[in-house]
Amino acid sequence: MLFKKKTDTDFLNLLIQSAENSLKASHVFRTAMNGDQPPAIYVEQLKELEHAGDNITHQVYKGLNQVFVTPLDREDIITLATTLDDVMDGIEATIARFDYLNITFTDQIMKDFAEVLVKSCEHMVAAFKLLDKKKYQEIREHSVAINSLENEGDRLMREGIRAIFTNPKDPYHDFRLKEIYERLETTTDSCEDVADILDSVLLRYS
């Protein structure tokens, strides 16, 4: 059992912080998708959250270099930290596309994707809090929910791309939409990656 000193790294708390940071980002992204202003005005706010996420991930890596005994397998901690960072990066990368592709509008697909991301991040936060309390079996309901939300993300991307090719407009306009839809779907994939890793962890520890 790990007896913590003041200098020890609380890895599970850092993972919770990372999940909560992604949840904050998902709320900002949802506001960007549902607001009346161009989404790109939220670029800097999400960039700051992305930097905060990078800092948390760095603390995890630094801590792993300083301790020998960890609450979970070291590889699991690294993978969880990395995939959580992927979720944050995905949200930030999506809003960045609104900026450099000069997209000043949103549509229902984007708004629905934003809801999927918020719900997925809510389940991630809940799951990591349960992990910290060693309530492994209760994590399962959240990982199942995240997997279902990822399926919804797949559906949204297919629906969006089908609409592009069913009712084509200006090629540049269509390219920009496709870029956003595909990046959002990749981000929901990252949420599912977190859930899958949590499932593998609970199989070993429950």
Side-chain angles (χ1 to χ4, degrees):
M1 181 177 180
L2 176 61
F3 293 94
K4 295 184 178 181
K5 302 175 184 178
K6 290 183 180 180
T7 55
D8 284 343
T9 301
D10 189 340
F11 294 105
L12 295 179
N13 185 54
L14 285 173
L15 293 175
I16 291 171
Q17 288 180 39
S18 184
E20 288 176 336
N21 192 58
S22 293
L23 178 57
K24 288 179 186 177
S26 72
H27 280 289
V28 173
F29 184 78
R30 180 171 64 181
T31 298
M33 294 301 100
N34 288 284
D36 296 326
Q37 297 177 299
I41 68 169
Y42 294 92
V43 166
E44 289 304 316
Q45 189 175 352
L46 282 167
K47 192 66 179 175
E48 289 177 7
L49 288 170
E50 192 263 338
H51 285 321
D54 286 343
N55 182 55
I56 295 168
T57 304
H58 176 71
Q59 289 181 61
V60 171
Y61 291 155
K62 182 179 179 181
L64 288 171
N65 286 328
Q66 296 174 340
V67 300
F68 293 101
V69 181
T70 55
L72 298 174
D73 182 84
R74 298 172 74 86
E75 191 62 34
D76 288 332
I77 294 173
I78 291 171
T79 308
L80 284 169
T82 301
T83 50
L84 279 168
D85 196 52
D86 288 342
V87 174
M88 181 65 247
D89 287 347
I91 296 172
E92 191 276 330
T94 304
I95 205 70
R97 280 163 169 74
F98 281 91
D99 183 28
Y100 66 72
L101 292 175
N102 192 30
I103 304 172
T104 59
F105 61 90
T106 61
D107 61 22
Q108 194 58 49
I109 295 290
M110 298 172 193
K111 293 175 182 178
D112 290 345
F113 256 120
E115 290 296 331
V116 167
L117 286 173
V118 168
K119 291 176 183 177
S120 296
C121 289
E122 287 174 344
H123 283 292
M124 287 195 302
V125 170
F128 279 102
K129 288 181 177 179
L130 290 169
L131 183 64
D132 187 41
K133 296 175 182 177
K134 296 182 172 60
K135 295 184 177 181
Y136 301 116
Q137 291 303 321
E138 294 178 38
I139 293 172
R140 181 63 182 161
E141 65 180 88
H142 296 288
S143 62
V144 169
I146 293 169
N147 282 312
S148 296
L149 287 163
E150 192 277 333
N151 290 335
E152 175 65 7
D154 286 344
R155 185 193 68 78
L156 288 170
M157 185 190 71
R158 289 194 299 268
E159 181 181 318
I161 292 179
R162 183 182 297 113
I164 289 172
F165 287 97
T166 301
N167 185 30
K169 297 180 181 178
D170 173 76
Y172 179 56
H173 174 274
D174 292 345
F175 163 78
R176 292 187 297 170
L177 286 182
K178 186 171 180 290
E179 275 285 299
I180 295 295
Y181 298 159
E182 290 182 339
R183 194 65 189 82
L184 284 166
E185 195 276 332
T186 299
T187 307
T188 61
D189 283 347
S190 295
C191 295
E192 185 180 45
D193 290 341
V194 173
D196 290 344
I197 298 161
L198 284 170
D199 278 344
S200 69
V201 167
L202 70 88
L203 283 174
R204 289 196 295 278
Y205 289 90
S206 60

